[in-house]
Structure formats: structure tokens, C-alpha cells
Amino acid sequence: MSPKTPLLIDRFGRPVDGLRISITDACNFACIYCHREGVRPGAGPAGQERLMSPEELGRIARVAAELGIVKVKLTGGEPTLRPDVVDVVAEIAAAPGLVDLSMTTNGSRLADLAYELAEAGLMRVNVSLDTLDPAKFKFITGRDCLPEVLAGIEAALDAGLRPLKLNMVLLRGLNDHEVWRMVEFAREKGAILQVIELVRAPGVPERFYAAYHADLAGLEAELARRAERVIRRELQDRPKFFLPDGAEVELVRPVHNSRFCAKCRRLRLTADGRLKLCLMRPDALDLLGPLRAGVSDEELKAIFKRAVELREPFYKADAIGQS
Ligand code: SAM
């Protein structure tokens, strides 16, 4: 099956070919800005028994792939904290038709895990790295382990988990002066720098957002000026800049951006097995409950289809004051 021929299209004409799966809510970092993938603690029937097993995740991925959802990203919490993360990857990788299987991770356990994950079928990773300054790293993540993350990046590159993307959330007055240093660091490593606009999702306090939110418009203009080529990605209308020295920089600008939402192609699966329609909205459909109750693949597919029917752009083009 080709990702060019998605089977699921929502009421707004948006194809859906991606699934972002949280495999645990647990994390060993305490990032000051974390949106927790839009899940408030206690929002669902959480609990250890609600964690999806590798086999359950494998079945969900297979059913989703049969519907044309052929790009899977694992997230968390911190996905590498799951003791069975390699089994999770292997089960999901076995889904026929998958064209992309990636993971977003804080990188702290990658030095130990990168090879096993690659062998199990993980194709690439995004490593969250907001700063190269150890003191700022500790301030942002609550952990003093920049060296472990840098070692994790090396291991992932060695293991062939490429293209490796570095996720940098831009924080005004905290790391915004470091962007060009990060561009250079990514270029040296043969990685892609992905600069992400701070999102005020549930769980991110208004005061924090007001203090640290940085508009990416100036950076986008500067990148456009320096780049020798610019493309816009199919996913979320993300601009990607190719600089003359070989650096590659992608921007993720979701806030008040109807073009971002118009090109959103993803569903989300929470760690307790609910299909979530949008990072910014609480709506979710239980998938794990019915799966454990023994429903057929066709019934699971009907839940996916219902989720696609229900999804709506968070920022709509016709809304006043939104672009
Ligand atoms: N622990 C993993 C990691 O660090 O990648 C996976 C979970 S983390 C929530 C996934 C990504 O979301 C990270 O790259 C993180 O920087 C980003 N993120 C978290 N909160 C955010 C926010 N409020 N705005 C924008 N990006 C955010």
C-alpha cells in the first residue's frame, strides 16, 4: 500500500495516514513546558492494566495499516522507559505496509537501546534537545544528563536510525539565541534540526506560555533568506529549509495556524488505549476496551473510521483572527 493512496479522509478533506502512539505516560524528565501529548493526568481509565501490551499494539498497528495508516510514531511519556520497548517496536514493525516507524525520545536511554531498537524495526528517531548548555538543559528538563543524551544521539546515528531529527522547542529568552548553534550542531551530526513552536496545550500554564512563547516568524524569514531551497512538507504544512552548507532545518508552527491544521494527517493513541482526535482537544474514543472485550478487526476499523469522521481542525481558516 502506498502512502500516496490513503483510505481514510475526514470531513474536511484531510487524508489520515499517521498514528502517534504514546506507549507510556511515565517519564524520567520533568520538562518545564511538557504538554504530555495533550493528556491530563487522570483523564482516562489509566492504570498499569490499561497499558497496551506489545501484542495489542501490534494488532492495532496492523488494523490501522490496513486502513492506510502507514506512518507510526512512538511517544510517551518517555517511550524508552518501557522495559519491553524493543518488543513493542518489533510487534508494530511486523504490520504489513508500514512505511515509517519512528520514535520521539529524550535520548537518555538510547546509548543502551539504539541498536536493539533498529534491529527490531525502528526506522528513525527524533531526539528532544533544546539546548547544548548543561545548566540550561538541567533547568529545562529537571535532569543533569546532557552527556547521556549526546551519547544517545551518537548511538542512534551509529545504529542507522536516520534521518535523525533534533526536536528543539523554542523558548523566548531561554534558548532562542542558541538556534544557529543548534543548526550547526545538527549539520555536523548529519541530523535535521526541527524547531518547534511552544504550544499551549492542556497542562501548560498560561503564565508559562506568556513568558516563554516565541514567535517563529523572524526565524522563518531568516531561514528563507539564507536557504538555497525551501519545500513545504505534506505533513502539517511544515516548511523545510536547505542551507548552502548542507544544514537542514524544519519548522513546526502549530499555534493559530489554520494551514498547519488543514494539513494534519494524524490520529493519536493515548497510553491507555484511547484514540485521540487532536493534541489540543480532549475528545477520545476507547479502542483498548473493545479490543480486550474481543471485538473483530472490522469492529476496530469502525472505531478508527468513527475517529476520522469526528476529527476537526483546531484552528479553522474561516475563524476571525486566525490565519
Ligand atoms: N519524552 C519524549 C521526548 O522527549 O521526545 C516523548 C514525549 S514529548 C511530549 C514529545 C515531543 O513533544 C518532544 O519533542 C517535546 O519537546 C515536545 N513538546 C512537549 N511539550 C511541548 C509544548 N508545550 N510545545 C511544543 N512541543 C512540546
Side-chain angles (χ1 to χ4, degrees):
M1 183 176 308
S2 152
K4 300 257 180 265
T5 54
L7 304 179
L8 295 171
I9 298 185
D10 72 14
R11 289 177 293 131
F12 297 84
R14 300 179 300 173
V16 177
D17 62 3
L19 184 62
R20 188 171 171 107
I21 305 179
S22 174
I23 61 170
T24 175
D25 283 335
C27 193
N28 54 342
F29 283 17
C31 297
I32 48 177
Y33 54 72
C34 189
H35 55 37
R36 302 174 52 92
E37 299 290 339
V39 174
R40 282 183 188 279
Q48 195 57 32
E49 74 285 356
R50 281 288 300 202
L51 268 195
M52 295 168 282
S53 70
E55 295 72 22
E56 287 168 338
L57 283 161
R59 180 171 172 209
I60 290 169
R62 179 174 53 74
V63 163
E66 286 172 11
L67 289 168
I69 299 178
V70 288
K71 299 178 182 182
V72 172
K73 169 155 274 140
L74 303 182
T75 181
E78 172 47 40
T80 60
L81 288 191
R82 258 185 84 145
D84 58 357
V85 64
V86 174
D87 299 332
V88 167
V89 167
E91 288 286 342
I92 294 176
L98 220 59
V99 299
D100 189 20
L101 176 52
S102 64
M103 175 184 288
T104 174
T105 167
N106 63 31
S108 61
R109 301 203 62 225
L110 273 184
D112 288 339
L113 284 169
Y115 277 90
E116 274 181 276
L117 291 171
E119 216 159 279
L122 191 68
M123 298 175 192
R124 61 186 184 89
V125 284
N126 289 26
V127 179
S128 302
L129 183 67
D130 300 320
T131 176
L132 291 166
D133 175 315
K136 282 205 170 133
F137 184 94
K138 184 172 181 205
F139 176 76
I140 293 170
T141 65
R143 288 289 303 274
D144 195 6
C145 56
L146 180 59
E148 286 89 327
V149 174
L150 297 179
I153 290 169
E154 295 297 339
L157 289 166
D158 279 354
L161 293 170
R162 295 164 186 255
L164 186 146
K165 293 190 184 181
L166 297 173
N167 282 4
M168 175 189 195
V169 177
L170 203 65
L171 300 164
R172 185 155 54 91
L174 206 53
N175 67 355
D176 48 358
H177 63 285
E178 269 192 87
V179 168
W180 294 101
R181 185 176 175 208
M182 289 288 290
V183 171
E184 181 52 20
F185 175 78
R187 187 193 65 76
E188 279 169 18
K189 298 290 169 199
I192 299 168
L193 181 66
Q194 187 160 254
V195 182
I196 304 174
E197 183 177 14
L198 178 68
V199 172
R200 196 181 163 233
V204 178
E206 173 59 39
R207 233 169 359 117
F208 179 86
Y209 180 76
Y212 289 116
H213 176 261
D215 189 346
L216 269 60
L219 177 60
E220 183 161 358
E222 180 62 15
L223 284 164
R225 203 180 60 72
R226 296 193 192 191
E228 62 183 15
R229 191 159 71 90
V230 185
I231 61 167
R232 296 199 88 89
R233 288 195 50 209
E234 268 304 303
L235 176 67
Q236 298 167 340
D237 194 42
R238 300 177 181 192
K240 182 169 179 182
F241 301 87
F242 298 83
L243 303 185
D245 63 0
E248 294 181 25
V249 184
E250 226 174 278
L251 297 187
V252 185
R253 297 186 64 186
V255 181
H256 293 295
N257 187 351
S258 59
R259 284 171 304 155
F260 181 95
C261 295
K263 292 286 192 99
C264 179
R265 308 169 68 100
R266 287 175 167 167
L267 284 174
R268 295 166 170 269
L269 188 60
T270 63
D272 59 9
R274 291 172 298 130
L275 270 180
K276 190 167 153 59
L277 315 184
C278 170
L279 170 72
M280 304 292 284
R281 293 173 184 272
D283 343 26
L285 301 184
D286 189 16
L287 191 68
L288 185 60
L291 185 151
R292 288 194 176 161
V295 302
S296 66
D297 284 358
E298 287 315 306
E299 285 166 290
L300 289 180
K301 283 181 190 168
I303 299 172
F304 270 101
K305 287 179 185 162
R306 179 86 188 117
V308 171
E309 264 167 37
L310 290 173
R311 71 198 287 276
E312 279 188 26
F314 187 72
Y315 297 112
K316 296 191 181 71
D318 57 356
I320 293 165
Q322 293 171 358
S323 61

